[in-house]
Amino acid sequence: MRGVLGGLALIWGIWSGLAGAQQHPARMVGKWCESDDGGESCSGYTSYFPDGSAYAYTTSVEGNRLEIVGMWGHIGRYSCFTHIAFEEYDENTNLLVNWGSRRDFCNKIIGLGLSEFVYEDYEGERHSIYRLSDTPDRSVWPPVSGE
């Protein structure tokens, strides 16, 4: 029993240390477009705020608007999202149809420039997001233009 508790304390200590070491690089702050075609169309948007909060929106599998909030930070070579909550709104009535939370996750940083951020997800797939603005916001504009 003592070994299990000691192991849990060690894991908690490492996680707490990592969480405290999160960085919020200024070059990430702004509004970004998730795109598979070099930024010609956007399947979703994410705003990264200097205080470590994030706001994103996209289209759900059902075609509804999906809004996501959470916290972001960089830990070494990883970009992590924590405290994630989402709300899904019917595309026709704009009524809330689903809500919930999601577990925390991290993506491996491949490259972070002024206008493009390339990351690798947990399945090893590479994705790019493209800067739209240096100013983050919590609006659902512009509309999602591609899947």
Side-chain angles (χ1 to χ4, degrees), residues 51-145:
D51 67 356
S53 63
Y55 171 80
Y57 64 98
T58 188
T59 303
S60 70
V61 175
E62 294 80 15
N64 295 324
R65 185 178 79 247
L66 189 62
E67 296 182 35
I68 302 116
V69 296
M71 300 301 290
W72 72 277
H74 289 184
I75 302 170
R77 295 283 305 152
Y78 292 88
S79 180
C80 301
F81 289 87
T82 61
H83 304 89
I84 303 164
F86 68 87
E87 294 180 340
E88 183 178 354
Y89 296 89
D90 183 272
E91 66 175 320
N92 298 312
T93 64
N94 205 34
L95 294 175
L96 182 66
V97 294
N98 194 10
W99 67 93
S101 61
R102 183 187 159 166
R103 71 172 201 257
D104 301 348
F105 69 94
C106 296
N107 294 312
K108 185 176 182 182
I109 299 169
I110 303 301
L112 175 56
L114 295 176
S115 61
E116 182 181 13
F117 172 44
V118 181
Y119 65 90
E120 187 175 282
D121 66 19
Y122 68 94
E123 294 178 331
E125 291 185 36
R126 287 195 179 191
H127 303 273
S128 294
I129 61 174
Y130 301 90
R131 180 182 299 280
L132 292 179
S133 167
D134 291 335
T135 307
D137 64 50
R138 288 183 170 80
S139 74
V140 290
W141 186 261
V144 173
S145 59

Side-chain angles (χ1 to χ4, degrees), residues 2-3 7 18 24 30 41 44 47 50 63 66 77 120 133:
R2 188 179 295 175
L18 288 175
H24 304 104
S41 64
S47 283
L66 189 62
R77 295 283 305 152
E120 187 175 282
S133 167

